Amino acid sequence: MDFTARRLSLKEALIAAAERTIASRGLAGLRARELAADAGCAVGAIYNVFADLDDLVLAVNGRTLAALEQALAGAAAKTPDPQERTDLALDSLVRSATAYLDFAAADTLRWRALFDHRLPAGKALPDWYLADQVKLFAYIEQPLRALQPDLAPEERALLARSLFSAVHGLVSLGLEEKLGAVPLGKLREQVALVTRAMARGLFDR
Amino acid sequence: MDFTARRLSLKEALIAAAERTIASRGLAGLRARELAADAGCAVGAIYNVFADLDDLVLAVNGRTLAALEQALAGAAAKTPDPQERTDLALDSLVRSATAYLDFAAADTLRWRALFDHRLPAGKALPDWYLADQVKLFAYIEQPLRALQPDLAPEERALLARSLFSAVHGLVSLGLEEKLGAVPLGKLREQVALVTRAMARGLFDR
DNA sequence: TGTACATCAGTGAACGCGCGTTCACTGATGTAC
DNA sequence: TGTACATCAGTGAACGCGCGTTCACTGATGTAC
């Protein structure tokens, strides 16, 4: 195994270890020393592969985004192409929303790390990460295009963002216990109900 | 000035100092030593008045909840009583939503502390705090009652929670820069648009 | 193939920093007589 | 009113802990001849 291969396999091991810790104890439970022990290397070795822990967390979050995309793609595959029929486009939005909920519910801590992680002031998110985020919005924009084909692209992008934000709010506060616990089944009903209501209220004139 | 009066005025001074720091540098910027310096006492004195810093933060957040209630009450006062007419009830929900946005936008860090603060595992939120939260939902439930008078109270409570969560999502992600910046005017439009759509989609058959 | 050397991943003790909370002590306020 | 004592807010140095990152050093791997 040459240098670059070793380096890559260490990188893999570190990402996998960080992912395990985040999934089981949350982003705030991540510690450099423990991470090194889990990945089978010394603390210092982390910094040969990543600039700092933020870098590593971004790598983990990148994977989470990819997994989320898989989940959304799976949900989209179950519906026929919504290109033409309005009711199918509505179904598609509802399916995406509940798929988002189910993804978050199944792996809450990993999902929450996407939103809890903050870079130190001054450091910006890398381009590849932003691109990964943008890809996800396609799953909302596509049905929106079917519902209102003549809407300007920027307006559609804004609306997609708003729909996502609303659903994210439902999921995020729903999975926290702060406002009282809601069983997942009830929550799924609410997500479906509200998503459909939003879409109908916006387009179904 | 007797003991209890002194104690109260120190409590006031500490809450006020903590509020200033949270408003200007955020919850994460709160430090015991600095707080004591700002309030004009020694670090140790904090612990004569509050059990720990979490206790103090809860006191600050309680005030923020009260301020938020004032803002919502102000918005509600501008609309006629929505008890009977559907369109007025819709307007009332939209006004509450935009009032929430404006409150959050005007004092983002103080508002964000409401959601960023987490008690250590095992410690529960005090009853008075939970009661303050519940009071705010009345501003959503009242118009919902006008829109669908025969809905069961628990269902109405759940729906109020969902509407709040959706709006909160819009406001929360909208005021962050993570998904790209949106000017406040645009954001207000989106909040109004989506709130009205949700309410219409849910009730306006 | 063998040897000398260069490169660089890997090591982990140590650095540097920050922070919430405690506690032995001080001194101002209130009380009893 | 005056004095002795008790109470308790207030003090701040010190405790205890945790953590990300560095850096002088080691040793395995690759290269040149």
Side-chain angles (χ1 to χ4, degrees):
Chain A
M1 194 154 59
D2 64 1
F3 278 141
T4 48
R6 288 176 70 84
R7 192 188 166 88
L8 271 175
S9 85
L10 177 58
K11 192 167 184 172
E12 277 309 308
L14 283 169
I15 295 176
E19 207 166 26
R20 279 195 300 274
T21 303
I22 289 174
S24 63
R25 296 210 308 276
L27 180 63
L30 196 66
R31 308 270 174 264
R33 266 163 270 259
E34 234 178 287
L35 183 69
D38 289 355
C41 69
V43 239
I46 297 172
Y47 298 87
N48 286 334
V49 181
F50 293 101
D52 50 32
L53 286 193
D54 283 322
D55 234 42
L56 173 53
V57 172
L58 282 176
V60 172
N61 280 352
R63 299 216 172 176
T64 307
L65 287 180
L68 176 55
E69 198 190 343
Q70 287 302 310
L72 291 178
K78 287 185 201 150
T79 28
D81 185 350
Q83 209 59 292
E84 290 307 324
R85 290 183 42 202
T86 295
D87 58 337
L88 290 183
L90 284 181
D91 285 348
S92 170
L93 282 173
V94 171
R95 263 184 217 264
S96 293
T98 52
Y100 184 68
L101 168 64
D102 288 331
F103 181 85
D107 217 344
T108 305
L109 293 175
R110 202 156 67 106
W111 162 75
R112 199 170 280 160
L114 292 175
F115 298 91
D116 285 351
H117 183 240
R118 302 207 181 291
L119 288 173
K123 275 179 74 175
L125 288 169
D127 288 340
W128 64 263
Y129 188 87
L130 293 171
D132 280 9
Q133 276 187 347
V134 167
K135 256 193 272 176
L136 291 174
F137 279 88
Y139 288 88
I140 307 176
E141 293 201 29
Q142 196 193 339
L144 288 189
R145 195 174 300 118
L147 288 166
Q148 222 176 52
D150 47 347
L151 194 64
E154 315 84 54
E155 285 298 313
R156 179 156 48 233
L158 195 58
L159 205 52
R161 183 199 159 113
S162 292
L163 286 175
F164 168 74
S165 298
V167 171
H168 175 76
L170 283 166
V171 171
S172 180
L173 295 185
L175 293 178
E176 275 184 37
E177 308 286 278
K178 261 196 171 177
L179 303 175
V182 178
L184 182 57
K186 276 264 172 211
L187 187 54
R188 201 181 286 114
E189 277 174 31
Q190 291 289 305
V191 167
L193 188 72
V194 170
T195 304
R196 191 174 293 279
M198 275 194 292
R200 271 212 287 235
L202 285 168
F203 300 114
D204 199 35
R205 309 286 81 222
Chain B
M1 195 154 59
D2 65 3
F3 279 140
T4 48
R6 286 176 71 86
R7 192 188 166 87
L8 271 176
S9 86
L10 176 58
K11 191 167 186 173
E12 277 309 307
L14 283 169
I15 294 176
E19 206 166 27
R20 278 195 301 274
T21 302
I22 288 174
S24 63
R25 296 210 308 276
L27 181 62
L30 197 66
R31 309 270 174 265
R33 266 163 270 259
E34 233 177 287
L35 183 70
D38 288 356
C41 69
V43 238
I46 297 171
Y47 298 86
N48 287 333
V49 181
F50 294 100
D52 49 33
L53 285 193
D54 283 321
D55 233 43
L56 172 53
V57 172
L58 281 175
V60 172
N61 280 352
R63 298 217 172 173
T64 306
L65 287 180
L68 175 55
E69 198 190 343
Q70 285 303 309
L72 291 178
K78 287 186 201 148
T79 28
D81 185 349
Q83 210 56 296
E84 290 307 323
R85 289 182 45 201
T86 297
D87 58 336
L88 290 184
L90 285 181
D91 285 348
S92 169
L93 282 173
V94 172
R95 263 182 218 266
S96 292
T98 51
Y100 183 67
L101 168 64
D102 288 332
F103 181 85
D107 218 343
T108 305
L109 292 175
R110 201 156 67 105
W111 162 77
R112 197 169 283 158
L114 292 175
F115 298 91
D116 285 351
H117 183 240
R118 301 205 183 292
L119 288 172
K123 275 179 75 176
L125 287 169
D127 288 340
W128 64 264
Y129 189 87
L130 293 172
D132 278 10
Q133 277 187 345
V134 167
K135 257 192 272 175
L136 291 175
F137 279 88
Y139 288 89
I140 308 176
E141 294 201 29
Q142 198 194 339
L144 287 189
R145 195 174 300 117
L147 288 166
Q148 222 176 51
D150 47 348
L151 194 65
E154 316 84 54
E155 286 298 314
R156 178 156 50 233
L158 195 58
L159 204 53
R161 184 198 157 112
S162 293
L163 287 175
F164 168 74
S165 297
V167 171
H168 174 76
L170 283 166
V171 171
S172 182
L173 296 185
L175 294 178
E176 274 185 36
E177 309 285 277
K178 261 197 172 176
L179 303 175
V182 178
L184 182 57
K186 277 264 172 211
L187 187 55
R188 200 181 287 114
E189 278 172 32
Q190 292 288 306
V191 166
L193 189 71
V194 171
T195 304
R196 192 174 293 278
M198 276 193 291
R200 271 213 289 233
L202 285 168
F203 300 114
D204 200 35
R205 307 287 81 221

